Amino acid sequence: MANVLLLGGTSEASALARLLAAQGIAARLSYAGRTHAPLAQPLPTRIGGFGGVAGLAAYLREEGITHLVDATHPFAAQISAHAIAAAAQAGVPLIALTRPAWQGQPQDRWTMVPDVAGAVAALAGPARRVMLALGRLHVADFLAQPQHDYLLRFVDAPAAPPPLPRHRLVVDRGPFTVAGDLALLRDQAIDVVVCKNAGGSGAQAKLIAARALGLPVIMIDRPFIPPRQKVHEPAQVLDWIAHGATPPALRGV
Ligand SMILES: NC(=O)c1ccc[n+]([C@@H]2O[C@H](COP(=O)([O-])OP(=O)(O)OC[C@H]3O[C@@H](n4cnc5c(N)ncnc54)[C@H](OP(=O)(O)O)[C@@H]3O)[C@@H](O)[C@H]2O)c1
């Protein structure tokens, strides 16, 4: 009998949670606890970190987890690395449900940067109106370029005002539409968009809107995550649970 631990915090994880529940597969969903009111899920939910690799490995053993599914965000590199190491320690097969990275089109005006620090550096120069589509974690880094007027879009209203001297805040939860993001970029007279190469459709609207308006985009590349088995569709995870899961020891991990 399968007993699945699904590491979530993404729309893909929510889609897989619905599939697992519909199939009657025993599973639980884990959130880091970053969002105040995560969407209700059809699976039992736990919230909070495990306490590093050792904590996650102990959880896998103690809870009798048979399959570990990492459906966290492509920029959540720490939990993904922990999942690889903990799965190997506990002898539990692991699969990652990931979104393919976005690919630029010929008409796009993307500047690729390796990390948030690269995005900050790429904003050197005269004051512009910048859409900072990064969530709230890295906002303070942009204090290094205080001349810009920043548009911030957060899932939750922040407890304290964002530290940037000139900013406007929109509180909204995706998925976003192209029409909505076109209107937002136009109404806010945005000159440049800064975002992570998250992939997926829900967050892509701003890129399609930026393309339509001929706006430049500063695109932050994905962080390194060690190799692991990956699929892009929630239904492929069900196939893996039914037929394809191989414990790490048998794969020589
Ligand atoms: N990074 C992003 O851009 C982004 C965007 C949208 C959604 N998210 C979601 O937000 C969450 C946190 O992202 P992050 O970038 O802060 O992660 P991270 O830097 O990779 O992880 C930091 C720590 O948070 C805990 N953690 C992360 N995801 C968890 C999960 N699903 N269940 C239980 N503990 C978890 C782990 O703590 P312990 O070491 O104590 O186990 C991990 O070491 C993830 O669920 C991710 O899918 C992230």
Side-chain angles (χ1 to χ4, degrees), residues 51-61 65 68 81-94 247-249 251-253:
V53 174
L56 179 53
Y59 183 93
L60 295 174
R61 287 195 199 96
I65 300 298
L68 177 58
H82 287 183
I84 294 168
Q89 279 185 20
V92 172
L94 164 74
R251 287 193 284 118
V253 174

Side-chain angles (χ1 to χ4, degrees), residues 8-9 30-32 34 48-52 72-73 75-79 82 196:
S30 175
Y31 282 125
R34 301 276 191 275
F50 296 93
T72 59
H73 192 273
F75 280 73
Q78 183 166 305
I79 186 68
H82 287 183
K196 300 171 175 172

Side-chain angles (χ1 to χ4, degrees), residues 126-150:
R128 286 187 282 175
R129 292 172 72 90
V130 180
M131 180 179 182
L132 208 54
L134 298 181
R136 64 196 154 89
L137 286 185
H138 299 290
V139 167
D141 297 23
F142 290 83
L143 269 172
Q145 305 286 0
Q147 71 276 30
H148 302 303
D149 197 325
Y150 291 96

Side-chain angles (χ1 to χ4, degrees), residues 19-209:
L19 274 184
L20 289 164
Q23 297 286 319
I25 297 171
R28 68 195 74 184
L29 179 61
S30 175
Y31 282 125
R34 301 276 191 275
T35 305
H36 293 315
L39 295 175
Q41 297 290 346
L43 293 179
T45 299
R46 66 164 299 286
I47 297 181
F50 296 93
V53 174
L56 179 53
Y59 183 93
L60 295 174
R61 287 195 199 96
E62 285 159 16
E63 298 293 325
I65 300 298
T66 59
H67 297 76
L68 177 58
V69 182
D70 178 1
T72 59
H73 192 273
F75 280 73
Q78 183 166 305
I79 186 68
S80 292
H82 287 183
I84 294 168
Q89 279 185 20
V92 172
L94 164 74
I95 200 163
L97 173 61
T98 68
R99 316 161 179 180
W102 292 317
Q103 305 295 329
Q105 306 292 309
Q107 67 273 40
D108 284 332
R109 299 172 58 201
W110 291 6
T111 300
M112 309 299 293
V113 294
D115 49 25
V116 172
V120 173
L123 283 176
R128 286 187 282 175
R129 292 172 72 90
V130 180
M131 180 179 182
L132 208 54
L134 298 181
R136 64 196 154 89
L137 286 185
H138 299 290
V139 167
D141 297 23
F142 290 83
L143 269 172
Q145 305 286 0
Q147 71 276 30
H148 302 303
D149 197 325
Y150 291 96
L151 173 66
L152 309 173
R153 180 159 66 184
F154 294 169
V155 175
D156 295 308
L164 298 170
R166 273 181 286 279
H167 72 267
R168 282 145 297 136
L169 175 64
V170 174
V171 177
D172 201 355
R173 188 191 288 260
F176 301 103
T177 64
V178 175
D181 277 0
L182 259 175
L184 183 70
L185 295 179
R186 277 201 187 108
D187 293 349
Q188 300 282 343
I190 295 299
D191 299 311
V192 56
V193 176
V194 179
C195 69
K196 300 171 175 172
N197 195 335
S201 56
Q204 197 178 19
K206 59 182 174 284
L207 296 178
I208 299 172

